[in-house]
């Protein structure tokens, strides 16, 4: 009896551990920290991650020693409407190459090794870690099979400017997105130029009643 009780207790503890592991949400700690978790699959040596803000470059991560590269004046960003940008310089086959967009960044990352890399790869499809709304669009949790990422996406640049948040399931083995759940709009902004701005709708002016025209008297023959 004691033997079966111990087995049941062990199984119950394991089950609760798995459930707790699966449900624990963690907030992404910032775009710079996310990018520093990159572990490229390709044999690149050395490589450097650079953050450029107002024309000044800052090396956030270096791997494999010193690299002589040319500063870049454009790059990628994982969050829309920012003045700054990132780029990666790396050496491969004796040649210096540069990562300047999210699609090339996706290929550079290769196989997903962590939740941060999953978020980076999804950036090529327009998803983003929204640092202003991390509770809705900047967190993740995981279990033994999948990463579950709550990310935002700019779904309208017109009036109104709109962001929607999604929960994306990414398989750890294949790196494929197996499910996308639309959680709805979480921000909607209008500006003064928006014709459909409910806050700036003009009150229609009532037409003034037309004055009665004077009656014409018939002419005498």
């Amino acid at each position: 009896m004691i033997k079966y009780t111990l087995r049941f207790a062990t199984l119950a503890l394991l089950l609760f551990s798995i459930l707790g592991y699966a449900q624990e949400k963690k907030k992404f700690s910032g775009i710079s920290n996310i990018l520093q978790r990159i572990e490229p699959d390709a044999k690149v040596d050395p490589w450097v991650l650079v953050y450029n803000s107002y024309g000044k470059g800052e090396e956030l991560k270096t791997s494999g020693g010193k690299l002589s590269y040319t500063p870049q004046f454009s790059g990628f960003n994982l969050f829309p409407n920012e003045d700054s940008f990132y780029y990666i310089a790396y050496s491969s086959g004796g040649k210096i190459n540069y990562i300047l967009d999210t699609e090339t960044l996706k290929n550079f990352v290769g196989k997903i090794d962590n939740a941060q890399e999953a978020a980076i790869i999804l950036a090529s499809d327009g998803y983003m870690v929204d640092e202003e709304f991390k509770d809705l669009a900047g967190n993740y949790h995981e279990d033994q099979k999948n990463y579950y990422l709550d990310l935002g996406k700019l779904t309208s640049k017109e009036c109104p400017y709109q962001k929607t948040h999604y929960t994306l399931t990414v398989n750890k083995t294949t790196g494929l997105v197996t499910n996308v759940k639309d959680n709805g709009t979480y921000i909607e902004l209008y500006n003064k130029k928006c014709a459909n701005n409910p806050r700036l709708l003009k009150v229609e002016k009532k037409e003034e009643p037309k004055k009665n025209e004077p009656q014409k008297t018939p002419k005498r023959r």
Side-chain angles (χ1 to χ4, degrees), residues 5-219:
T5 303
L6 288 173
R7 285 183 178 179
F8 177 78
T10 303
L11 288 172
L13 182 61
L14 179 62
L15 179 61
F16 282 122
S17 298
I18 293 173
L19 289 174
Y21 178 68
Q23 294 176 356
E24 181 185 359
K25 286 193 175 185
K26 301 177 182 178
K27 292 181 181 179
F28 287 107
S29 56
I31 303 299
S32 296
N33 292 325
I34 291 170
L35 290 169
Q36 291 181 61
R37 293 293 303 275
I38 291 176
E39 299 174 12
D41 293 337
K43 294 181 180 180
V44 291
D45 187 30
W47 68 276
V48 58
L49 169 66
V50 183
Y51 173 63
N52 185 294
S53 180
Y54 298 101
K56 184 178 180 181
E58 176 187 358
E59 294 185 357
L60 299 180
K61 180 177 181 178
T62 58
S63 177
K66 188 68 177 176
L67 178 67
S68 179
Y69 61 92
T70 303
Q72 300 297 297
F73 298 99
S74 64
F76 58 85
N77 212 322
L78 304 187
F79 190 83
N81 300 327
E82 283 199 0
D83 297 327
S84 58
F85 61 87
Y86 300 85
Y87 66 89
I88 291 174
Y90 68 94
S91 177
S92 179
K95 182 182 177 182
I96 304 298
N97 300 282
Y98 299 92
I99 307 294
L100 304 176
D101 58 74
T102 54
E103 188 61 36
T104 311
L105 178 64
K106 176 181 177 179
N107 297 328
F108 181 78
V109 170
K111 182 181 177 295
I112 294 174
D113 298 304
N114 49 57
Q116 286 76 15
E117 285 192 345
I120 291 168
I121 286 178
L122 289 169
S124 63
D125 293 323
Y127 296 100
M128 64 182 174
V129 173
D130 195 332
E131 295 189 292
E132 295 177 347
F133 298 90
K134 285 186 178 180
D135 289 338
L136 297 173
N139 62 78
Y140 70 94
H141 63 282
E142 60 182 290
D143 57 26
Q144 293 179 336
K145 293 184 179 180
N146 301 304
Y147 296 111
Y148 305 91
L149 294 89
D150 292 332
L151 302 175
K153 193 172 191 179
L154 183 61
T155 46
S156 175
K157 292 183 179 180
E158 303 299 328
C159 295
Y161 174 91
Q162 179 178 282
K163 292 179 184 177
T164 304
H165 59 127
Y166 300 84
T167 300
L168 297 105
T169 303
V170 180
N171 185 276
K172 287 184 175 181
T173 303
T174 65
L176 298 175
V177 177
T178 58
N179 187 55
V180 178
K181 180 186 176 185
D182 186 337
N183 298 316
T185 302
Y186 68 94
I187 187 171
E188 196 172 67
L189 299 176
Y190 294 83
N191 58 47
K192 292 181 179 179
K193 296 180 180 180
C194 287
N196 59 342
N197 188 342
R199 297 179 182 177
L200 297 174
L201 288 177
K202 294 181 179 179
V203 178
E204 294 183 1
K205 293 182 179 179
K206 295 182 180 179
E207 293 185 4
E208 294 182 2
K210 293 181 179 180
K211 295 180 180 180
N212 293 328
E213 294 181 358
Q215 293 181 355
K216 293 182 180 180
T217 56
K219 293 182 179 180

